[in-house]
Amino acid sequence: MAATQEEIVEGLAEIVNEIAGIPTEDVLLEKSFTDDLDVDSLSMVEVVVAAEERFDVKIPDDDVKNLKTVGDAADYILKHQG
Amino acid sequence: MSSTNRTVVVTGVGATTPLGGDASATWEALLAGRSGVRLLDEDWAADLPVRIAARIAVEPGTVIPRPQARKLDRSAQFALIAAREAWADAGFTARAGEDPTVDPDRLGAVVASGIGGVTTLLDQYDVLREKGVRKVSPHTVPMLMPNSPAANVGLEVGARAGVHTPVSACASGAEAIGYAIEMIRTGRADVVVAGGTEASIHPLPIVAFGNMMAMSKNNEDPQGASRPFDTGRNGFVMGEGSGVIVLESAEHAARRGARVYAEAIGQGISADAHHITQPEPSGNGIAHALQNLVEATELKPAEIAHVNAHATSTPQGDVAELKALRKVFGHDVDHMAISATKSMTGHLLGGAGGVETVATVLALHHRLAPPTINLDHLDPEADGDVVRGEPRPLPAGAIAALNDSFGFGGHNVVLAFRTV
């Protein structure tokens, strides 16, 4: 069953918390991975791999650069999840 | 600013070792003659010929928060812990620049490892085979590269004068400190954070060193296995950890009113050109390093009161080192209190020069030479005054101490320090 946007943001928050140590409640739609959440380009690869597994979605490398905010990632996953 | 023969001093020490989570806990254990060696209880060790090692006393995961720790090889975690301690011990309160007493453009970092991020390399290869391409950590390269500990320490303190990683097997840590002394002496930097680190307690390195017949297989008596200069020695015991010091030009230290542990007199370096792993048995290669030290500095053999020997507990190496001391210093060796601290810490490979420099500097500062444990029967060929039993008080007045480190490949590095 496909995840809702709310469930996706919740899942991303847990992933970001695991990888960057940011409290889950700070992981909000408008937050930038790089500027607000201490997720650099290497850690972003980890976020993407974890999200792919969790939401059964493929995020090609070329699309990762467009995922600037948590909202960008949630929308992408919502649209592409299996 | 750019004079070429400036005096260099030690203003901070830090360590995380099999004996303690910081320099003072390590020093207390060295004085008490405690062994950090134990039986490896991990499943992977059960069937290995060598099942003993000197594990770190305080796991780095209890000190470094997980989000940062997961991006660092264990060797870099050790180095960061030791460097933070040394940095604070030197009296710095923040990164260079944020602490106005140190200019980032005049700050260096030189931290070495003998093997680099070997556990990261091997663990990630397991991940690749067992879980596939996507699961290999994107942090793998910056974790396993041998300059990773130096780079991470440089980032931590804000070092912009240069970040370096000399690699010379078990002499690496000492070579790093020697390099740092030269950076300050020649005017490239005013302050340098320098030392060594190693984290290679993993089945492959243990098996590989074991197959070279280099390690003690005394699994029945872990704490008695590392026994430098004893007739019963039969190889080294692998240890893990890091030792880091802060070196500083004497003017810079005086200007900010820093506490000074010792003067860093300089280094003597040579190479054996004899064999890829066997030490040159007459000690000539080591003697050459000692001669270079005396010629390059104002060190007087008569002032040397203490030697922290390389002495790894191998049959050939321990004796060759004492032969070299006798060859170069003659009867002056008789007033040198010789300590083999690897009897307690095990052999930290590239970390040894760092940890043993911390021990050497503290020995001068406290005027106490640590004992050598497990020395029940001194090898008749071990020609020197090896301290055993209680710590040995060192004489008053200006005294100097040496820290010897030698590595596979025939590398010989001797560092010299003096009381202030």
Side-chain angles (χ1 to χ4, degrees), chain B residues 287-375:
Chain B
H288 190 202
L290 292 167
Q291 274 152 1
N292 287 340
L293 170 70
V294 172
E295 282 163 26
T297 65
E298 295 130 50
L299 176 71
K300 303 276 179 289
E303 66 179 332
I304 305 171
H306 171 55
V307 179
N308 188 304
H310 181 63
T312 62
S313 183
T314 59
Q316 273 198 323
D318 295 10
V319 167
E321 181 174 5
L322 297 188
K323 282 181 186 165
L325 287 168
R326 185 65 75 180
K327 201 166 288 188
V328 176
F329 298 129
H331 58 78
D332 279 314
V333 173
D334 297 335
H335 57 71
M336 299 178 191
I338 299 168
S339 302
T341 49
K342 287 187 183 78
S343 60
M344 294 169 274
T345 62
H347 187 0
L348 276 68
L349 311 179
V355 169
E356 287 155 27
T357 290
V358 169
T360 305
V361 165
L362 291 177
L364 285 176
H365 183 66
H366 296 292
R367 291 183 191 267
L368 272 178
T372 302
I373 67 167
N374 299 321
L375 184 47

Side-chain angles (χ1 to χ4, degrees), chain A residues 18-21 42-43 46 49 52-53 59 61, chain B residues 66-68 70-71 134-139 142:
Chain A
E18 166 72 12
I19 288 167
L42 297 184
S43 296
E46 291 184 286
V49 171
E52 284 183 336
E53 194 162 83
I59 308 177
D61 291 353
Chain B
R66 193 174 135 73
Q68 186 179 23
R70 62 198 295 285
K71 295 193 273 189
R134 270 311 243 183
K135 287 294 192 176
V136 171
S137 169
H139 303 289

Side-chain angles (χ1 to χ4, degrees), chain B residues 42-76:
Chain B
E42 291 89 340
D43 290 343
W44 56 254
D47 296 322
L48 301 189
V50 173
R51 297 193 300 280
I52 50 174
R55 274 282 192 204
I56 201 83
V58 176
E59 271 300 318
T62 63
V63 183
I64 298 179
R66 193 174 135 73
Q68 186 179 23
R70 62 198 295 285
K71 295 193 273 189
L72 296 170
D73 182 76
R74 192 170 168 85
S75 63

Side-chain angles (χ1 to χ4, degrees), chain B residues 1 87 92 94-110 153-164 183-184 187-193 247-248 252 255-256:
Chain B
M1 194 72 98
W87 187 250
F92 297 120
R95 287 181 102 215
E98 292 163 31
D99 180 330
T101 65
V102 54
D103 175 357
D105 291 339
R106 302 288 303 160
L107 170 67
V110 191
V153 168
L155 280 167
E156 174 83 8
V157 297
R160 293 193 197 142
V163 172
H164 305 279
M183 280 179 81
I184 298 170
R188 271 185 65 198
D190 292 327
V191 181
V192 182
V193 181
L247 290 154
E248 192 164 356
H252 195 275
R255 198 157 58 235
R256 65 185 189 91

Side-chain angles (χ1 to χ4, degrees), chain B residues 3-82:
Chain B
S3 90
T4 55
N5 199 20
R6 306 194 303 169
T7 300
V8 182
V9 295
V10 180
T11 54
V13 297
T16 183
T17 74
L19 299 177
D22 58 27
S24 63
T26 298
W27 176 246
E28 289 307 316
L30 286 173
L31 293 184
R34 278 207 290 279
S35 170
V37 182
R38 66 167 174 78
L39 198 64
L40 291 169
D41 51 16
E42 291 89 340
D43 290 343
W44 56 254
D47 296 322
L48 301 189
V50 173
R51 297 193 300 280
I52 50 174
R55 274 282 192 204
I56 201 83
V58 176
E59 271 300 318
T62 63
V63 183
I64 298 179
R66 193 174 135 73
Q68 186 179 23
R70 62 198 295 285
K71 295 193 273 189
L72 296 170
D73 182 76
R74 192 170 168 85
S75 63
Q77 295 173 11
F78 293 156
L80 205 56
I81 291 167

